[in-house]
């Protein structure tokens, strides 16, 4: 039995035990969580420090106040956040309202308005920002598009930070030094740099794997635990090819296109997991469109790679339909061990239940961190992340049964 299979079996047993205990009442369910929690301590018995250790700040929703590269231009490149439209009304100061508006952006605020209110920072400032903004949080999820000194083109390859350059490695060492000084650690990197990981161009696929290797080697300096390796376009077209009746033998629908994409992705992740394993960094797949929009595809890749350093890093909201908010997350939960995106996104309205999603992960035996990724809604990215901080902490404080 592989290392991943052993983990999956163990998680499955914990989950079945949890649901059995749930029938006996909330107190019994709490006891079951105590048996599967960190170091034998159940969520209901965790200290405040224990609970805060399960939360990670996330730089992505904070990107509006980061300095950007003037030469990169405007409008949505990985290192250049798009300027948001002006507010049409004052965003609420409290929790997001139900109902959803399909994505209100940054609470209606522009980058300039954000920087005027909160100040301007770089990634080198983010450890201290984390410490000041999220009391007690000591872990971070860092977005690759915000890496590097925006005034030094020598550490960039086009619009992407290149961790293999001399200047890039020195910058990483400076970030590591700032982390050590503040006591804040890098748990996870959400990496958009590797591309074409599912082919079909073999040369481009290998180039994407090579970029991943450079990031793994460079970011080992930070002591990172895991790294997501799929951008929104890394695993094939954002809309997955459908099954069609194309087989001349029997006429039944087959999906030959997805099979080829999966084969290429499996090859890429095998190579990246081998690189990551040597450095102690887990390579992860997020439900992030393309092949990864379907949790069964993510599970297939991970099972076929069959490597202890290849796993899932689920996002609570990156789904194609609202049934996946619960069922997709439950499908990926046993495959996740290091980091998830605890997300609010108003496109799903009141069906986006952050506390329930957090408890789904706990019920599956997840022991990693919940990164605070506010995507869009009535709050701006910073206030939204603060809202998520409270929601995740509430779920960790009261892990009621999840059905």
């Amino acid at each position: 039995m592989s290392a991943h299979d052993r983990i999956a079996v163990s998680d499955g047993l914990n989950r079945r035990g949890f649901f059995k205990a749930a029938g006996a009442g909330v107190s019994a369910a709490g006891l079951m969580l105590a048996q599967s929690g960190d170091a034998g301590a159940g969520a209901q018995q965790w200290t405040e420090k224990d609970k805060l250790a399960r939360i990670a700040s996330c730089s992505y929703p904070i990107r509006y106040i980061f300095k950007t590269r003037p030469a990169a231009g405007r409008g949505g490149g990985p290192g250049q956040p798009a300027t948001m439209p002006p507010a049409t009304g004052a965003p609420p100061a409290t929790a997001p309202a139900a109902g959803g508006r399909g994505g209100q952006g940054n609470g209606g605020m522009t980058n300039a308005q954000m920087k005027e209110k909160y100040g301007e920072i770089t990634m080198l400032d983010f450890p201290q920002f984390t410490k000041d903004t999220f009391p007690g949080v000591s872990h971070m999820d860092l977005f690759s598009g915000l890496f590097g000194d925006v005034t030094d083109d020598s550490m960039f390859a086009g619009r992407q930070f290149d961790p293999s350059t001399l200047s890039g490695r020195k910058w990483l060492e400076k970030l590591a030094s700032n982390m050590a000084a503040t006591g804040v650690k890098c748990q996870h990197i959400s990496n958009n740099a590797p591309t074409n990981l599912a082919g079909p161009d073999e040369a481009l696929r290998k180039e994407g794997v090579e970029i991943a290797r450079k990031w793994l080697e460079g970011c080992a300096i930070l002591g990172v635990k895991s790294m997501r390796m799929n951008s929104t376009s890394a695993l094939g077209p954002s809309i997955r090819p459908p099954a069609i009746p194309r087989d001349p033998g029997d006429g039944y629908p087959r999906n030959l296109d997805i099979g080829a994409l999966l084969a290429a992705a499996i090859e890429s992740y095998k190579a990246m997991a081998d690189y990551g394993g040597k450095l102690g960094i887990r390579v992860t797949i997020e439900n992030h469109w393309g092949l990864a929009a379907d949790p069964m595809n993510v599970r297939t890749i991970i099972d076929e790679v069959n490597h202890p350093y290849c796993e899932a890093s689920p996002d609570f909201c990156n789904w194609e339909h609202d049934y996946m908010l619960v069922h997709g997350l439950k499908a990926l939960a046993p495959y996740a061990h290091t980091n998830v995106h605890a997300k609010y996104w108003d496109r799903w309205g009141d069906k986006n239940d952050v506390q329930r999603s957090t408890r789904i992960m706990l019920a599956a035996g997840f022991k990693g961190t919940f990164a605070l990724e506010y995507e869009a809604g009535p709050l701006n990215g910073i206030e939204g992340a603060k809202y998520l901080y409270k929601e995740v902490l509430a779920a960790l404080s009261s892990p009621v049964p999840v059905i």
Side-chain angles (χ1 to χ4, degrees), residues 20 49 72 85 121 132 200 272 283 304:
K20 182 178 180 181
K49 183 178 179 181
I121 66 173
D132 295 341
M272 293 188 297
V283 171
E304 290 294 320

Side-chain angles (χ1 to χ4, degrees), residues 23 26 29 58 65 80 118-119 121 127 130 151 202 210 223 226 248 279-280 283 288 302 323 331 336 378 398:
V26 173
C58 183
I65 67 170
Q80 177 72 23
Y118 299 102
I121 66 173
T130 294
T151 67
E202 182 65 5
E210 175 63 16
S226 62
L279 298 166
V283 171
H288 207 217
I302 294 172
Y323 289 108
S398 180

Side-chain angles (χ1 to χ4, degrees), residues 140-339:
M140 302 181 296
D141 175 339
L142 305 181
F143 173 50
S144 66
L146 300 172
F147 275 56
D149 182 343
V150 298
T151 67
D152 185 354
D153 286 342
S154 71
M155 62 180 70
F156 291 87
R159 301 185 72 175
Q160 290 284 1
F161 176 72
D162 185 348
S164 68
T165 62
L166 179 60
S167 55
R169 292 185 74 86
K170 287 183 177 179
W171 183 89
L172 288 168
E173 290 168 356
K174 176 62 176 174
L175 177 57
S177 176
N178 289 3
M179 288 163 49
T182 56
V184 178
K185 303 174 183 178
C186 179
Q187 176 79 355
H188 182 77
I189 293 176
S190 295
N191 198 338
N192 274 9
T195 56
N196 300 298
L197 297 176
D201 187 307
E202 182 65 5
L204 291 178
R205 187 191 68 78
K206 289 182 177 179
E207 181 181 328
V209 172
E210 175 63 16
I211 290 172
R213 183 188 64 78
K214 290 179 179 180
W215 274 85
L216 288 165
E217 290 182 348
C219 292
I221 294 170
L222 303 178
V224 59
K225 301 301 181 186
S226 62
M227 193 181 301
R228 181 196 79 197
M229 288 301 193
N230 59 305
S231 67
T232 56
S233 59
L235 293 180
S238 58
I239 302 300
R240 291 164 290 140
I244 58 176
R246 59 187 300 172
D247 179 35
D250 55 26
Y252 287 101
R254 296 192 181 214
N255 201 322
L256 302 179
D257 294 330
I258 277 189
L261 294 171
L262 283 169
I266 290 163
E267 191 69 21
S268 295
Y269 276 89
K270 281 181 179 178
M272 293 188 297
D274 282 340
Y275 283 131
K278 295 172 184 176
L279 298 166
I281 302 173
R282 296 185 181 214
V283 171
T284 78
I285 308 173
E286 181 180 332
N287 47 311
H288 207 217
W289 323 123
L291 284 179
D294 185 338
M296 184 53 68
N297 288 337
V298 177
R299 288 168 59 123
T300 297
I301 295 169
I302 294 172
D303 282 337
E304 290 294 320
V305 171
N306 192 25
H307 196 294
Y309 280 83
C310 183
E311 64 179 58
S313 51
D315 181 291
F316 287 3
C317 289
N318 285 354
W319 301 111
E320 294 176 335
H321 54 80
D322 54 14
Y323 289 108
M324 286 292 192
L325 289 168
V326 170
H327 302 295
L329 187 61
K330 285 183 177 181
L332 287 187
Y335 287 72
H337 311 289
T338 308
N339 188 74

Side-chain angles (χ1 to χ4, degrees), residues 42-57:
Q44 292 180 330
Q45 300 173 7
W46 291 341
T47 65
E48 195 72 5
K49 183 178 179 181
D50 291 332
K51 288 180 281 189
L52 291 168
R54 302 296 304 276
I55 298 175
S57 67

